[in-house]
Amino acid sequence: MVILDEKCMIPPPPYVQAASVAPPPFPGNRSHQSLATLAPHLLLKIVYTTFPWAPRIDESRPERQRKTLYWLSHQLRLVNRSFYIGNHTTHHIDDQDLTYPVACMHVLRSIYLPAYESLIRVPYTSDPFPLSTSTSSSVGPVETMQRETQVLDLFIALKVREDVMMDDTELHLEREESFKDLFDLMQPRSRLEDLVRYYGLREGVVHTNPPGVSSSSAGSGSHLGNNTSSSSSANHRSGVTRPAPLPFSMLSISFSPRKVGLVSTTTSRKQTILEVTRTRDEKLEVAAKKLVKQLKVWLSDT
């Protein structure tokens, strides 16, 4: 038996209104995490855990994984922007801050890139992965300056559907004409546009600055921007007036086996400002250099 002396007992704390104190276990206000604020490695971990690693009775493991890829492409990435393109991780490579998405599109592009590159026609080249630098550009957070990336995403949307349909039924016939349209026209055209941007920035005839920002007051949006800025400064000191470069966002390519053209699109009209001839098996790099050379002449004459 324990005898307690009521005079020695500590009195209980006084009653306080619940609204004046924070609920346990942490004092103060707590910030709630959301998908938009998750770290890139956690978001990527969530995506990877959706892949099955064991077969079912009626489905093999590759079939289940192909259905998961279809689900990533048509459902999960449409939940919100975080799952679509993900938070970005930046790596400093060759004096550049290169930014990469780390969610659904990162997984889909990485998996289907070898299949995409295997269908590139000779002698065309390919570089579909976006390399958005730390400088500002006129494209949105989901879009990319690399035009060929859009073709890769179209290929993924078509390929995941075709793979699932082939697994579901042997009667499904793959639509070869769909891939033919992609790699006979859209891929070389978009790749040529990227090359025109590459060589055009180097020659100072195009710029990738946002609307309202002059080409002389901001970087070019590429690692070639330093060369363009230095050459502009040299021309300014020597008294030579260079024509103002065109914004790359208003330029596109008209592509055919025998000729390619540079098209300028404004709010009022769309016109082909120049054309150059090409052979059927000519490299895209050669055609891009021809277009940039003629664009320099066209800017000097206008």
Side-chain angles (χ1 to χ4, degrees):
M1 179 180 295
V2 178
I3 301 175
L4 298 178
D5 188 357
E6 295 183 357
K7 297 182 180 180
C8 297
M9 294 179 61
I10 301 175
Y15 175 77
V16 182
Q17 293 289 339
S20 63
V21 294
F26 303 107
N29 296 327
R30 298 180 60 188
S31 59
H32 297 281
Q33 292 288 337
S34 64
L35 290 175
T37 59
L38 283 179
H41 68 282
L42 295 178
L43 199 61
L44 189 60
K45 180 67 174 178
I46 294 174
V47 175
Y48 274 126
T49 53
T50 62
F51 283 88
W53 298 102
R56 286 180 176 173
I57 298 177
D58 56 343
E59 287 182 331
S60 64
R61 173 182 164 184
E63 290 177 350
R64 294 190 64 195
Q65 292 183 346
R66 283 192 287 266
K67 286 187 175 181
T68 302
L69 292 171
Y70 180 86
W71 175 71
L72 289 180
S73 176
H74 288 76
Q75 297 182 25
L76 181 61
R77 70 171 181 163
L78 303 180
V79 170
N80 58 17
R81 182 178 295 174
S82 296
F83 271 125
Y84 182 89
I85 200 70
N87 298 321
H88 290 74
T89 179
T90 302
H91 302 278
H92 189 72
I93 303 175
D94 296 335
D95 298 329
Q96 303 177 68
D97 289 328
L98 302 182
T99 305
Y100 302 90
V102 290
C104 290
M105 292 311 300
H106 171 82
V107 175
L108 291 169
R109 289 169 182 169
S110 301
I111 291 176
Y112 285 100
L113 181 62
Y116 174 85
E117 291 183 333
S118 67
L119 297 175
I120 302 296
R121 283 186 52 193
V122 179
Y124 298 156
T125 57
S126 174
D127 185 17
F129 265 110
L131 298 179
S132 56
T133 61
S134 58
T135 56
S136 59
S137 64
S138 58
V139 297
V142 176
E143 298 175 346
T144 172
M145 193 183 303
Q146 200 85 350
R147 301 273 178 93
E148 193 184 354
T149 306
Q150 301 174 12
V151 181
L152 173 61
D153 293 345
L154 289 174
F155 169 78
I156 292 173
L158 178 61
K159 184 63 175 173
V160 293
R161 179 185 180 279
E162 293 295 317
D163 288 346
V164 171
M165 294 295 291
M166 291 287 290
D167 290 337
D168 287 343
T169 174
E170 297 180 353
L171 301 178
H172 177 73
L173 299 178
E174 191 173 48
R175 296 181 296 177
E176 297 181 359
E177 67 275 5
S178 300
F179 294 102
K180 181 178 176 62
D181 292 339
L182 282 176
F183 293 97
D184 284 355
L185 175 61
M186 299 182 67
Q187 189 277 329
R189 182 179 61 191
S190 60
R191 173 60 175 161
L192 185 57
E193 291 174 346
D194 291 333
L195 290 171
V196 167
R197 171 176 54 86
Y198 178 88
Y199 294 120
L201 286 169
R202 188 171 66 181
E203 297 296 329
V205 295
V206 301
H207 71 84
T208 56
N209 300 324
V213 180
S214 62
S215 58
S216 59
S217 62
S220 62
S222 170
H223 63 282
L224 299 172
N226 295 331
N227 296 335
T228 305
S229 301
S230 60
S231 62
S232 300
S233 301
N235 288 327
H236 179 72
R237 290 193 299 269
S238 62
V240 178
T241 303
R242 295 186 61 177
L246 296 177
F248 178 69
S249 58
M250 65 179 288
L251 298 178
S252 59
I253 294 292
S254 62
F255 186 88
S256 67
R258 296 301 179 185
K259 63 180 180 179
V260 292
L262 196 61
V263 181
S264 174
T265 304
T266 61
T267 55
S268 58
R269 62 176 179 172
K270 180 178 182 180
Q271 63 173 347
T272 301
I273 58 179
L274 58 93
E275 286 183 338
V276 296
T277 59
R278 63 179 294 267
T279 60
R280 183 177 293 272
D281 295 329
E282 184 178 77
K283 292 184 177 180
L284 297 175
E285 287 79 2
V286 176
K289 291 179 181 179
K290 289 181 182 179
L291 287 172
V292 171
K293 183 179 180 180
Q294 292 299 318
L295 180 59
K296 183 183 294 186
V297 175
W298 183 82
L299 288 174
S300 300
D301 295 340
T302 53

